[in-house]
Amino acid sequence: MKIVCPACGNHKSFLIPLWVRCTFKFNEDGTLSILHVRQLESLEDKIVDQGKTSFAITCKDCGADALVTLNEYENLDNQKAQRAALEAL
Amino acid sequence: MKLLCIRCGNYTYFETDITGIKEISAADGLMTIDNARFPDFDYTEDTIRNNLKDMVDYVLKEDDSSLVFDPETETYYNRFITCARCGSAKVIKPFRPKRRMVPLDQELEENREEFNALRKERTDENSLPRLWEP
Ligand SMILES: [Zn+2]
Ligand SMILES: [Zn+2]
């Protein structure tokens, strides 16, 4: 898998939004303290779903939407699997 | 007390789902995930703190849209915040008796002396003797 920024060419650092469950408490002075943070989404699913969801992976340097390409062999595997499935029919 | 779980009485510990931000770094074909850090701040930490605060402020301010009424159980459920103690979504703003509503004219009249005293303080301050001349 490869991630690149089509706008500035960055291929190292990207930002990804992820849902988290936050356990917190109200302090007596009205402020909030965070007790625990748990990630709710799998990062792998999220990356593979890039483009299908409204939340995109963005370039850390310029903020543009990043481009994710899966490995060629993964695609080949996929095609092979699809062909096998068709043949089975 | 800002929020109350009407199932277990907890008013301190709660849970909510918010969006966070992480950084993916790619180097030598390896991908790692960590907090998104910039030279002077941790974007991941700031996002979590800000989004949590926004969510709590929203629920406290817009309790009409964050509470859904279930006619079957005749209780309110919070769409965004649950109790961290018992897991219930029956999290509401504690009931506070409505403040007596008086006509504004009457309120101004009742507070007239207090207002005059406040104004006088300000005028007196301006007429204090000068101790020092530039
Ligand atoms: Zn970029
Ligand atoms: Zn509870």
Side-chain angles (χ1 to χ4, degrees):
Chain A
M1 186 194 311
K2 242 178 146 179
I3 310 177
V4 283
C5 171
C8 74
N10 160 36
H11 53 92
K12 281 185 181 151
S13 315
F14 300 91
L15 300 177
I16 184 166
L18 288 170
W19 280 98
V20 294
R21 179 153 301 160
C22 203
T23 310
F24 64 95
K25 72 167 182 176
F26 285 105
N27 297 311
E28 273 172 26
D29 61 1
T31 55
L32 300 171
S33 289
I34 300 174
L35 278 75
H36 188 249
V37 176
R38 182 160 69 88
Q39 199 172 298
L40 295 175
E41 292 174 289
S42 130
L43 187 68
E44 291 74 22
D45 294 352
K46 188 96 186 187
I47 295 176
V48 175
D49 279 355
Q50 163 84 340
K52 291 184 216 157
T53 56
S54 53
F55 288 118
I57 298 175
T58 52
C59 171
K60 192 189 179 192
D61 295 342
C62 77
D65 282 356
L67 244 158
V68 178
T69 40
L70 300 173
N71 286 344
E72 276 170 55
Y73 67 85
E74 282 178 25
N75 284 335
L76 277 177
D77 275 359
N78 226 334
Q79 282 171 11
K80 239 186 260 169
Q82 279 175 5
R83 207 175 303 138
L86 278 174
E87 278 162 7
L89 288 172
Chain B
M1 191 194 297
K2 291 190 169 166
L3 287 173
L4 170 70
C5 169
I6 53 171
R7 187 163 170 255
C8 77
N10 158 48
Y11 53 87
T12 311
Y13 303 101
F14 298 95
E15 266 179 2
T16 189
D17 294 351
I18 50 170
T19 342
I21 300 277
K22 283 279 188 177
E23 176 173 339
I24 305 173
S25 307
D28 308 323
L30 268 181
M31 269 190 215
T32 50
I33 181 136
D34 200 357
N35 278 14
R37 294 187 184 91
F38 286 90
D40 47 353
F41 72 111
D42 187 312
Y43 189 37
T44 301
E45 286 188 5
D46 284 10
T47 309
I48 286 177
R49 285 189 194 281
N50 291 337
N51 288 355
L52 173 65
K53 193 175 176 299
D54 284 353
M55 175 61 91
V56 171
D57 287 348
Y58 176 81
V59 168
L60 292 177
K61 188 162 172 275
E62 309 280 338
D63 50 347
D64 282 347
S65 54
S66 50
L67 290 181
V68 274
F69 184 72
D70 176 29
E72 218 161 274
T73 51
E74 295 193 333
T75 30
Y76 283 97
Y77 290 90
N78 203 304
R79 291 170 57 206
F80 305 110
I81 294 184
T82 55
C83 172
R85 233 187 209 134
C86 74
S88 169
K90 295 179 186 177
V91 172
I92 59 158
K93 275 210 300 195
F95 172 74
R96 287 217 181 84
K98 271 220 168 100
R99 231 186 123 230
R100 174 184 62 114
M101 276 301 201
V102 295
L104 185 57
D105 278 351
Q106 195 187 325
E107 192 167 323
L108 295 178
E109 187 55 42
E110 282 173 9
N111 292 327
R112 201 215 302 246
E113 259 178 51
E114 200 173 332
F115 176 71
N116 285 343
L118 176 75
R119 260 295 134 78
K120 190 159 176 298
E121 250 175 50
R122 207 159 81 178
T123 338
D124 286 353
E125 183 199 33
N126 291 340
S127 58
L128 283 177
R130 269 202 186 168
L131 302 175
W132 176 77
E133 219 31 79

